[in-house]
Every structure is written in C-alpha cells, then in structure tokens.
Amino acid sequence: MSQARTIILGIETSCDETAAAIVARDENGQGEVLSNIVRTQLDEHKAFGGVVPEIAARSHVQWLDHIVAQALDAANLGYKDLDGVAATAGPGLIGGVLVGLTTAKAIARAIDRPLIGVNHLEGHALTARLTNNTQFPFLLLLVSGGHSQFVLVRGVGDYERWGTTIDDALGEAFDKVAKMLNLGFPGGPKVEEWAKKGDASRFKFPRPLLREKRLDFSFSGLKTAVRLVAEAAAPLSDQDVADICASFQSTIVAILEKRCAQALERFNEEFPDEVAQMVVAGGVAANQQIGAALHQVAAAHEAELIVPPMKLCTDNGAMIAWAGAERLVLGQVDKSNIAARPRWPLDSDDMKLGDHHV
Ligand code: KG4
Ligand code: ZN
C-alpha cells in the first residue's frame, strides 16, 4: 500500500463484549489505538451464571451502532476517514458474530472500503505487534473463558497450534469452580481473591495429562475433583472455601508452569538463533499468581514474556482492527459474502494468505 497510515475500524461481538475501535498502522508497522470502546454485558448474564447466547446476540443488536459511533467520535474521525472495516467472523457465538459481521459488511459497502473478516484468535495472536511491535516468530499462550491454547505465530496467517484444551477452557474452569462455591460470575477474579486467604497445600488435586509430553490441557477432571472435595466438606466455612480456591489455583499454576516450560523448550529447539518470546493473552492473564509464575518460567528459559495491557488482552475491537490492518496491507481482504463461522481453528488452511479471499 502506498498510503502512509492505514486507519481501520474493528468490530468484536463474538462473546459478551460489544466492542468497536479505531486503530492506525503506519508504513513501518507501528500501531496506534485511536479509540477503543468496550461495552460488557456482564450484568445481563450474571443471573444465569454464564453467557446466554440469545441474550448476547440481542444486546449486540441493541448496542453495536452506538458503540461504533462512539469509537469514531472518540477518535475524532468520520466514516470517510476509514481505509477498511474489520469484524470478527468467528469463532464464537454465532448470533453475536453475525451481528458484528453484518454491520461491518453494511458499513464497508456504504463507504466503499474493503471488508476484512478476522479470526478472533488471530486478533489475540497479533495484539502484541500492536502494543509492543513484537517481531515474528513468537509463542502465544491464549487463556480466556473460551480458549486455552499454545500457538506458534510465524507470520500473519501463518499459525501452528501446538496445544489446546481437550475439554474446558481455563477461564471456564475458574468460572465453574466459582459457581460451585457460590462466589459469583465471572469466577476468575473471585477465586483469585479467595485464594489469597487460603492454604494451598490443604487439598491435593489431580493434574490431568501432566505426565504426557503433549502440550494439551485438560481441566474437567480437576473441576470434578474440586466438586467432590466441596461436597465432602459441606457445609463449607469461609476457610474451607479459601483453601479450596488456593489449592485449585496453585494446581493451575503448576500445570501452566510445566506446559509453558515445555513449549519454550520446543521453541528454543526449533529456533535456536532466536530469543524466545512468549505472548500471553486472554482474561486469565489478569491473575497475578499466574502472571508471576509465567515470568519465572520465561526467565528460566531466557525468554521474554510479553503481556499487553489487560484491556487489550481481553476481548476488544482494537485487536480486530489491528489484525484487519495487518491483513489489509498484505492485500488480503474479503468478499462481502464471507460467512460467519462458529468454529474456525487458527491453523486451518483458509487462515493462510491465499485464495479464498478476494
Ligand atoms: O478474555 P476474556 O475477558 O473473555 C473471553 O473469554 O473471551 O476472559 C474471561 C475469562 C473468564 O473466564 C474469567 O473468569 C477469567 O477470564 N479471568 C480470570 C481472572 N480474571 C478473569 N481467571 C483467573 N484469574 C483472574 N484474575
Ligand atoms: Zn477472546
């Protein structure tokens, strides 16, 4: 592209955040967030202890236009200033994805600018390039309410999934443990808070798959073990709850430490001439005990740990705008009939820069 600065609107509606942002990318690949508006639907889902897809989709319909207008206002820009419109095209709750993608299609058509359908996971994967100008290759650890995976990021569209969860996502495990202890939703921050007052050595929980070499996770057995302990100890005193939380969280930390060490060893074997970089994304990255453990593992492997600011680690429009910008400058834009996809693994063939796009 000959233009010096590429300005992209990004829309994210794949879960329970209605988000829009404006991001600029200069010709050297430096990014700047011009605005980043996120409206969380937390209160609408709270009573149900989790995200209700139908409520989420309706709420996106109700709010998205306002959120987009706010994003433009906050950046002091109008539609005509945009060079492209990006929206999450999957994976995620399909009703919500459809709302965002359809809105993006309409805006792109109305202002006659390219549309970029972004894989939500690619948004997380490339955020560190927006915030830290991180160079390829790097390792991504994505730990959110919907995903838990290691991804080798070789380039835009060039991803290799090294491991994933075979059942629950890590954030989901936190949420489910919080639910069974009646701590409220979202559970991660509550479990972390309670864990501070607890004795982590009181309960020994299983560490599924940990003896195996693969980089996959499994959290459902751990969750069941927590349930059995909670049932056996009922009625639970505050100290019991704190001890369960502390024991659960320290088990998670041990699992992550082991897996991250293995992933970094593999990275160092595959790229002996590179300083390993590990980028962390997803809401679980907010957990301080987990963060401290990851710093230690990275230091022990002479790797750099990159944790973007939390508001860009959790779901947001800026990461979608940025991924859109990265794709647009490589000439990869989409047709207006691109489909919304509930499932869309990062290492699927159609993520590669290739021919399904225009
Ligand atoms: O990335 P995110 O905001 O949304 C998506 O899932 O896409 O992640 C939310 C998840 C929730 O499951 C929440 O419980 C978890 O991140 N989480 C935490 C903490 N803060 C948020 N888990 C553990 N410790 C925390 N401090
Ligand atoms: Zn996400």
Side-chain angles (χ1 to χ4, degrees):
M1 256 197 150
S2 54
Q3 207 176 334
R5 225 160 115 91
T6 307
I7 296 179
I8 303 286
L9 164 66
I11 293 175
E12 157 59 36
T13 54
S14 67
C15 192
D16 59 345
E17 265 89 30
T18 310
I22 314 285
V23 163
R25 182 190 186 279
D26 74 16
E27 58 205 322
N28 301 317
Q30 295 280 351
E32 189 187 348
V33 179
L34 303 181
S35 67
N36 186 26
I37 311 289
V38 180
R39 182 187 179 275
T40 178
Q41 304 172 355
L42 220 52
D43 286 343
E44 289 147 78
H45 300 285
K46 217 172 214 161
F48 306 96
V51 178
V52 184
E54 176 67 17
I55 293 176
R58 283 165 183 261
S59 185
H60 290 308
V61 170
Q62 189 180 344
W63 287 96
L64 184 56
D65 290 350
H66 306 285
I67 300 295
V68 169
Q70 274 184 43
L72 283 164
D73 270 2
N76 223 350
L77 295 173
Y79 283 108
K80 293 285 177 211
D81 298 311
L82 301 174
D83 297 304
V85 183
T88 300
L93 300 174
I94 194 66
V97 175
L98 276 167
V99 174
L101 187 58
T102 307
T103 302
K105 285 177 181 179
I107 296 172
R109 175 66 65 94
I111 62 175
D112 195 21
R113 298 287 193 282
L115 168 77
I116 308 106
V118 171
N119 181 306
H120 177 88
L121 304 170
E122 179 168 54
H124 282 302
L126 299 179
T127 300
R129 291 171 54 73
L130 164 65
T131 56
N132 297 56
N133 201 12
T134 304
Q135 301 298 303
F136 301 121
F138 57 86
L139 186 64
L140 170 74
L141 170 65
L142 174 60
V143 275
S144 70
H147 303 277
S148 303
Q149 28 186 273
F150 284 108
V151 178
L152 173 66
V153 183
R154 290 177 185 277
V156 177
D158 191 357
Y159 309 102
E160 202 176 297
R161 197 170 52 174
W162 280 4
T164 188
T165 176
I166 58 170
D167 39 57
D168 294 343
L170 183 51
E172 194 180 355
F174 270 94
D175 292 337
K176 286 180 176 170
V177 165
K179 196 172 179 179
M180 61 182 92
L181 298 173
N182 284 323
L183 305 183
F185 174 81
K190 311 268 187 209
V191 170
E192 178 169 25
E193 213 41 53
W194 279 87
K196 286 185 183 143
K197 293 167 271 174
D199 171 6
S201 64
R202 178 160 162 210
F203 300 107
K204 291 270 168 291
F205 291 130
R207 301 169 180 192
L209 299 185
L210 215 55
R211 292 233 176 86
E212 295 182 32
K213 276 216 135 169
R214 57 203 266 207
L215 285 169
D216 292 328
F217 297 105
S218 166
F219 297 114
S220 81
L222 171 57
K223 178 190 67 190
T224 307
V226 172
R227 171 172 298 129
L228 293 177
V229 160
E231 281 169 6
L236 299 177
S237 67
D238 280 1
Q239 195 56 52
D240 293 333
V241 171
D243 292 348
I244 291 173
C245 288
S247 303
F248 166 76
Q249 189 171 280
S250 75
T251 306
I252 295 293
V253 165
I255 293 170
L256 284 176
E257 277 173 346
K258 173 87 187 288
R259 283 291 182 256
C260 289
Q262 285 171 297
L264 286 169
E265 279 152 25
R266 179 168 168 189
F267 188 99
N268 285 335
E269 269 168 34
E270 292 199 16
F271 301 97
D273 302 329
E274 307 272 351
V275 174
Q277 307 174 99
M278 186 163 78
V279 173
V280 188
V284 182
N287 186 293
Q288 287 174 8
Q289 201 190 343
I290 291 176
L294 297 183
H295 267 107
Q296 278 188 0
V297 179
H301 289 78
E302 290 170 6
E304 190 190 344
L305 187 75
I306 300 159
V307 189
M310 211 25 70
K311 63 179 191 297
L312 297 177
C313 269
T314 55
D315 289 352
N316 65 87
M319 69 179 191
I320 303 304
W322 174 254
E326 293 242 56
R327 283 199 170 255
L328 181 63
V329 296
L330 294 170
Q332 202 187 25
V333 298
D334 287 289
K335 292 185 181 136
S336 59
N337 64 355
I338 180 183
R341 306 174 60 166
R343 293 188 184 280
W344 188 5
L346 252 191
D347 51 0
S348 57
D349 277 349
D350 58 7
M351 283 304 296
K352 300 195 174 73
L353 300 177
D355 44 37
H356 102 116
H357 294 270
V358 181

